[in-house]
Amino acid sequence: MEKEIKKSSLSVSENGIEKKISPKRLEVLKTYKIYIGGQFPRTESGRYYVAVNAAGKQLANVCLSSRKDFRDAVVSARNAFAGWSERAAFNRGQILYRMAEMLEGRKIQFTDELMQQDVPKAKAEKEVNLAIDRLIYYAGWCDKYQQVFSAVNPVATSHFNFSVPEPTGVVSIIAPQEDGLLGLISVVAPVIAGGNTCIVLASGSKPLCAVTFAEVINSSDVPGGVVNILTGKVSELSSWFVSHMDVNATIYCEKDSTVQKMMQDKAALNVKRVIFYDKINWNTDEGQSPYLIMDTQEIKTTWHPIEHIAGSGGGY
Amino acid sequence: MIDGYFSLYQTRSVNERKFSNFGKTEIGMQKTGFIPAIPDFTLTPRIDQVGAEERASRFTKRSIKKESKVNGLKLVLNMIDLTTLEGKDTEGKVKQLCYKAMHLHDALPGLPTVAAVCVYPTMVRTAKKALLDSGIKVASVATAFPSGQASKEVKIKDTKYAVDNGADEVDMVISRGKFHAGEYNYVYDEIAEIKEACGEARLKVILETSDLITFDKIRRASDIAMYAGADFIKTATGKVQPPSSMPVALIMLEAIRDFYYKTGRMVGMKPAGGISKAKAALHYLVMVKEVLGEAWLNNHWFRFGASSLANDVLMQIMKEKTGVYQCASYFSVD
């Protein structure tokens, strides 16, 4: 078959029949993949769902993650935990700040994605700005919440007794369904600011920003495995998120009381913390607080023997 | 995949011209009642590397689920040589390992024990005492493990020391330097002499496949080891990177198969180093079943040399039993 393209007229000659081709460029569409251990794999299940907007327009094929993707993500998160939690708190703050910088540079892309998902322009711009500010907020708290929530405790023995918060470990998070970007960042930032690692299930209806945010994380010096982002169905994955023995806490942001009950039941298996953020409006200042960091912290109290203590006169 | 299969085995007279010093060897061989026709090892089959890799990758694509998976995992547990070969090993560490060998996960009754505990010769007595009448064997590395760079006398002494202290099995390393230099006679005689020093103990011959580099040489070393009297051939010490791979194990399994067809004698196989996941272990079982058959699917003929594999297998068994993914913190340290 003879085929030739003439540059000047932008027409194609196929079997002698002249065809005009449109000068419009064919857009290159992004494959929305999941984010595990610093890599962007497709779901191991090979399944997809179509993300659509309110008008029913197809936005993207999005991975329908399986329990095995979650399993792999937990392995990555567990492996990353030691390095991340032992990192200097100040350095964690620098990295969160870096995430904000990267997000700032890609504002337009995120605004555009939110608008594709039916968010009005003004609201989308506000959401992106708020998301950046929220990262800065938690970047600041990284090396400060310990001072606020630690204590030296008065005891009646010759001990120096003090309590400090420590990260609880691997946290599984089911992100808010609304606010695809801001909701995700509002729940992830306090968890990683406190030295935990996490696996987060992005909003099922608004998943685009979550995958793009993974690219921001990937270029912000966040070690692989600290944040793992899956896309898929809450109904399919929620029980795995809360039953995994190697997960230390689960965060759930919806009001579904049946799911909440199920989570509390299954979490008992290894005495996980279960945290419900079903009343927080992420678009206001109540969506950010050092107490949200403390939700995934454990208090460790140390009894350190000392020679003398005021008043006791006792020697050790 | 394998060329020259039928041209491999030579008559004894041809070999006697090429290999002149088999005197000691034959005495060793007669002890086990086995006198093989020794082939010219320079003529062992050449391996098609691409073919071997492709074939090995197919074994990883079987779907083994539910009950057969649990049975497979229990079989894996029962084939493990639970290993500690560190410079920092203490008697306490060995005792703890022996306890683990006997009590893999007491929360789950009905589990098999591992096949053996594998330690350095100086730890054999401790392990033997700790294992009592559990039926778990004590394997000891010997012959200047892992480098094998010592004189033959030292290696024989090392072996005898392990056996005298009660080792049921001896894991020796071949002299890779001599092998590369083409001194196959030396390598062969050394294995035969160590076999003799082992007495009743079963001998596993470690080829250290990463040191041998090419697939052709791995096949050749396998043949030398088996003809010299190895009860097992073993891939690696676990001390050299990269660890052994499935294609390498496939070549060794095929060597065992060919040896069995030729001589009627079964030789065991022990992959070691780098197998730390239950799934990988199941792939190996598939490979053994499909290359050698079910006769080899027990711990008399097949072993895994591993330390962290046991816990991963236990975690998978618990996952099947409880339905939830497990956490390493709930299993004993290894």
Side-chain angles (χ1 to χ4, degrees):
Chain A
M1 193 184 289
E2 182 190 303
K3 198 173 177 181
E4 73 180 65
I5 299 173
K6 289 175 207 154
K7 270 183 191 166
S8 55
S9 64
L10 274 170
S11 64
V12 177
S13 164
E14 207 170 289
N15 291 341
I17 303 161
E18 285 275 309
K19 270 190 193 169
K20 273 247 162 91
I21 59 165
S22 157
K24 196 184 160 199
R25 184 174 165 274
L26 194 64
E27 277 182 57
V28 178
L29 296 174
K30 180 157 89 183
T31 313
Y32 283 83
K33 297 194 283 186
I34 54 180
Y35 185 57
I36 298 176
Q39 308 283 321
F40 290 91
R42 290 178 167 83
T43 166
E44 65 75 44
S45 65
R47 303 172 307 168
Y48 293 85
Y49 72 98
V50 180
V52 291
N53 65 7
K57 189 193 164 215
Q58 177 173 349
L59 301 176
N61 289 332
V62 180
C63 288
L64 191 54
S65 304
S66 68
R67 65 182 169 88
K68 293 188 180 179
D69 294 313
F70 174 66
R71 173 199 65 188
D72 295 346
V74 172
V75 172
S76 295
R78 176 56 66 194
N79 289 341
F81 176 68
W84 183 244
S85 59
E86 283 163 22
R87 205 171 264 260
F90 180 71
N91 186 227
R92 282 204 299 272
Q94 288 176 309
I95 290 172
L96 258 76
Y97 195 93
R98 176 84 180 155
M99 282 163 71
E101 287 175 8
M102 292 292 113
L103 197 53
E104 181 84 28
R106 296 172 74 162
K107 249 181 179 173
I108 296 165
Q109 185 186 4
F110 279 95
T111 310
D112 181 55
E113 269 181 350
L114 285 172
M115 284 160 65
Q116 281 183 46
Q117 298 174 113
D118 308 315
V119 182
K121 187 168 189 225
K123 190 169 180 293
E125 280 172 351
K126 192 182 155 219
E127 181 174 341
V128 175
N129 286 336
L130 213 49
I132 296 165
D133 295 350
R134 194 140 293 168
L135 281 171
I136 300 286
Y137 176 87
Y138 284 109
W141 269 112
C142 276
D143 59 351
K144 295 175 191 70
Y145 73 92
Q146 298 91 335
Q147 305 163 50
V148 176
F149 294 99
S150 292
V152 173
N153 312 310
V155 288
T157 56
S158 51
H159 289 90
F160 175 47
N161 184 294
F162 56 95
S163 301
V164 287
E166 289 192 342
T168 194
V170 174
V171 181
S172 63
I173 305 170
I174 296 173
Q177 290 296 300
E178 281 305 305
D179 313 317
L181 177 65
L182 180 63
L184 182 91
I185 289 177
S186 300
V187 287
V188 168
V191 167
I192 61 171
N196 301 287
T197 57
C198 66
I199 305 99
V200 53
L201 179 64
S203 162
S205 55
K206 297 187 168 70
L208 302 195
C209 290
V211 179
T212 310
F213 182 60
E215 294 159 17
V216 168
I217 296 171
N218 198 244
S219 53
S220 309
D221 301 328
V222 181
V226 170
V227 181
N228 303 276
I229 299 178
L230 306 181
T231 52
K233 279 191 198 143
V234 176
S235 58
E236 182 191 344
L237 291 172
S238 58
S239 74
W240 296 101
F241 266 57
V242 78
S243 69
H244 198 307
M245 296 288 280
D246 208 12
V247 171
N248 305 102
T250 300
I251 294 174
Y252 178 61
C253 304
E254 300 303 309
K255 287 196 177 74
D256 190 331
S257 60
T258 330
V259 176
Q260 291 185 346
K261 173 84 173 49
M262 178 277 289
M263 290 192 135
Q264 276 167 333
D265 284 351
K266 294 209 165 174
L269 210 56
N270 67 340
V271 214
K272 278 185 196 70
R273 279 148 207 277
V274 190
I275 302 140
F276 298 135
Y277 293 144
D278 51 359
K279 293 184 186 71
I280 297 179
N281 181 356
W282 303 108
N283 286 293
T284 63
D285 274 356
E286 72 171 22
Q288 57 185 30
S289 154
Y291 288 100
L292 297 182
I293 300 178
M294 290 308 291
D295 282 340
T296 49
Q297 297 289 303
E298 297 170 0
I299 298 294
K300 185 166 93 180
T301 295
T302 304
W303 295 71
H304 186 74
I306 51 170
E307 189 85 7
H308 296 291
I309 187 164
S312 77
Y316 178 68
Chain B
M1 185 186 304
I2 298 166
D3 314 314
Y5 179 75
F6 294 106
S7 63
L8 164 60
Y9 300 102
Q10 312 287 315
T11 62
R12 173 150 281 239
S13 59
V14 175
N15 284 301
E16 275 169 353
R17 251 188 296 121
K18 291 188 176 174
F19 295 81
S20 52
N21 56 347
F22 280 134
K24 281 179 188 168
T25 309
E26 284 175 17
I27 297 163
M29 298 284 85
Q30 277 161 354
K31 267 193 164 176
T32 59
F34 170 66
I35 308 168
I38 300 157
D40 179 351
F41 294 116
T42 60
L43 299 176
T44 48
R46 303 299 189 257
I47 304 296
D48 167 6
Q49 182 166 353
V50 175
E53 280 162 359
E54 181 56 32
R55 178 87 183 107
S57 80
R58 300 232 175 136
F59 296 120
T60 66
K61 295 183 174 111
R62 308 285 184 271
S63 178
I64 300 166
K65 301 286 182 203
K66 305 286 171 200
E67 212 179 316
S68 48
K69 180 175 172 186
V70 173
N71 289 338
L73 291 172
K74 285 185 177 170
L75 189 57
V76 170
L77 277 185
N78 194 228
M79 288 171 164
I80 290 176
D81 281 5
L82 205 59
T83 304
T84 182
L85 296 169
E86 302 289 336
K88 60 175 190 258
D89 282 350
T90 59
E91 291 199 0
K93 170 80 204 277
V94 171
K95 279 182 196 161
Q96 181 249 322
L97 192 80
C98 291
Y99 187 85
K100 174 159 179 124
M102 293 185 285
H103 303 267
L104 282 170
H105 193 56
D106 287 344
L108 186 62
L111 286 177
T113 63
V114 297
V117 166
C118 185
V119 293
Y120 272 116
T122 46
M123 294 296 171
V124 168
R125 194 179 287 277
T126 310
K128 196 74 191 165
K129 212 173 139 197
L131 290 168
L132 293 170
D133 54 354
S134 62
I136 299 169
K137 303 222 167 8
V138 175
S140 170
V141 295
T143 70
F145 180 93
S147 72
Q149 296 286 19
S151 71
K152 205 185 275 177
E153 291 69 37
V154 170
K155 289 180 178 183
I156 289 168
K157 241 182 150 178
D158 198 18
T159 309
K160 284 194 168 143
Y161 177 81
V163 175
D164 291 346
N165 276 285
D168 303 298
E169 296 166 2
V170 171
D171 290 29
M172 71 168 287
V173 287
I174 63 166
S175 299
R176 281 90 76 193
K178 296 280 187 192
F179 179 85
H180 281 306
E183 295 183 39
Y184 301 145
N185 282 343
Y186 183 94
V187 176
Y188 183 106
D189 288 352
E190 191 175 66
I191 296 168
E193 283 171 50
I194 299 290
K195 170 69 187 164
E196 196 181 347
C198 283
E200 294 296 304
R202 294 178 87 201
L203 176 66
K204 307 194 195 102
V205 179
I206 304 170
L207 308 181
E208 193 65 297
T209 53
S210 319
D211 278 357
L212 299 185
I213 302 165
T214 68
F215 283 15
D216 286 353
K217 286 188 171 173
I218 292 164
R219 168 71 196 230
R220 184 174 299 161
S222 304
D223 283 351
I224 292 174
M226 287 187 293
Y227 276 96
D231 295 303
F232 269 87
I233 49 175
K234 176 175 166 184
T235 56
T237 60
K239 302 286 183 200
V240 176
Q241 291 295 326
S244 69
S245 61
M246 280 196 73
V248 164
L250 173 64
I251 289 161
M252 292 169 65
L253 290 171
E254 285 177 338
I256 292 172
R257 180 192 63 197
D258 294 348
F259 182 76
Y260 176 71
Y261 282 149
K262 184 68 190 170
T263 66
R265 179 170 159 256
M266 285 171 82
V267 173
M269 168 72 179
K270 177 176 171 184
I275 307 165
S276 56
K277 296 287 172 223
K279 198 169 200 172
L282 286 176
H283 293 157
Y284 274 88
L285 288 193
V286 168
M287 186 158 70
V288 174
K289 185 177 158 66
E290 293 186 20
V291 177
L292 294 176
E294 300 216 5
W296 267 266
L297 274 184
N298 53 63
N299 69 15
H300 194 71
W301 296 115
F302 192 76
R303 296 282 178 83
F304 289 103
S307 44
S308 56
L309 173 64
N311 267 11
D312 196 62
V313 174
L314 289 169
M315 281 166 70
Q316 301 313 318
I317 292 176
M318 282 301 276
K319 155 73 177 63
E320 287 302 314
K321 191 177 160 57
T322 60
V324 297
Y325 290 117
Q326 299 296 306
C327 166
S329 314
Y330 295 88
F331 295 82
S332 58
V333 288
D334 44 24

